[in-house]
Amino acid sequence: MNSQIWRAGSTGLLFVMLGIMSGPTGAQSNPSPSSAQAAPSSQSAPVFKKEQLDQLLAPIALYPDALLSQILMATTYPSDVAEAAAWSKAHPKSQGDEAVKEVANQPWDPSVQSLVAFPQVLAQFSQQPDWVQNVGDAFLAQPKDVMDSVQRLRAQAQKAGNLKSNDQQKVVVQQSTPDTTVIEIQPTNPQVVYVPSYNPTVVYGSWAYPSYPPPYWPPPPGYAYPVMSGLAAGLAFGAGIAITNSLWGGCNWGGGDVDINVNRYNNINTNNRISGNGNRNGNVGWNHNAENRRGTPYRDSGSRQKYSPGVGGADQRQAYRGRTDSRDAQRQNAFNDFNRSTGGGAASNLRQNQGAGRDNVASRDRAGAGNRQGSQGIGGDRGNTANRGGNRAGTADRGGDFGNRGGGDFNRGGQAGNRQASSNRGSAFSGVQQPSASRSQMQRGQSSQQSFRSQRPSSSGRQVSRPSPSRGGGGGRGRR
């Protein structure tokens, strides 16, 4: 299937490239009939071929007209269908008009809400999300071709002897034109609707497109079909569902689309009424609501231009990421509430606090540098200047322990704290021995040796532990 589509697409692409190479003048001139047939426009090419449409619609073409029309509407909102199927699964006892009333406050399109009246239908759709989206895309791009496909399949089932009137349905054949026959399917009792179950490979007789076999959906688990023997020869019907207003759709076979009965629609959709009375039969044409698409991209460029003009799919991408006007307004309101709860100007206050913090750090650094210069003189000042980068790094990383220890050592003339801060912070002077630090280390070593000799006992052979240096370091001794 994919290879065939690719070959067809490649041929069309070749014709388009040949048309482009002919130049602007050729593109603007009126083509001759032969050239128009040889180089069809990519926009006029159907999104789905006849074989693909029959394959897609085979599982639902024999449903009652009203239910079929609302299924075609609902499939254009695949995200809503998925949520409605999940709701129906969580409420297995809800069906008919009462189920539709229970979901009246759900943000789904009314066509999707109507399907909760038929839980077995949603149970099948929940297992076929790709099929749902493909049918919706086909109906948006090629509504008349979809309706023609349904009539073609019904005629095929009738010819095979598997589509006829019975206790569950009424099959009405009308000759709309000398060359066109319309087959309608209506409930025998308008107040009770039976959903058929059938195997497309059986009910339609010999399938005309072996490369595009129709899918078969057995009855979903948990839904009994008493006349299961009917599956072997054609259609089987489960329990009927009492319906009063939930089926308000209709198939406009002559116009190649679907319509809505205003009175029946308004009786069940009290929160989303249609204004006006419709035509003489009380019907109005159905229009796709792009807002309920909820980020699902449109398949073809024609649908994108029709339902999202001038944005090139950008709105769908933003909505898919959750960026809609309503959500942006919610975020802005939340931000404003936060500002009011903090006294107003929270973001401005935050920036001012950050600036004040930087000023405090700079003031501490300058004060520390002045103290160090006064306590150590010119020689120590060079060491301090080299290590100020390490102290500032310690302050920025909240390493207060290094900064405090370094400040104490500077006041005593030592460099141990600075040496540790420089090593840990990766300063530009890491590993470089300063002259003042070298003299301090030498003084401390000599002091330690003198202290050790003064405490050494007179008797030899007794081991004495080396005394621990004072916490402030040994840098307080005078320079020799």
Side-chain angles (χ1 to χ4, degrees), residues 267-282:
N267 286 339
I268 192 71
N269 297 288
T270 57
N271 295 337
N272 190 12
R273 292 178 177 269
I274 296 176
S275 60
N277 298 322
N279 58 19
R280 63 179 181 176
N281 297 321

Side-chain angles (χ1 to χ4, degrees), residues 405 408-409 412-417 440 444 447 469-477:
R405 190 164 64 246
D409 290 340
R412 294 179 178 82
Q415 300 295 327
S440 177
R444 292 183 62 183
S447 174
S470 63
R471 186 170 182 83
R477 297 181 184 274

Side-chain angles (χ1 to χ4, degrees), residues 4 90 227 245 433:
Q4 294 175 353
V227 198
N245 293 307
Q433 191 69 35

Side-chain angles (χ1 to χ4, degrees), residues 64-79:
D65 285 15
L67 177 58
L68 172 66
S69 67
Q70 289 172 220
I71 288 175
L72 293 177
M73 302 176 198
T75 55
T76 64
Y77 313 105
S79 298

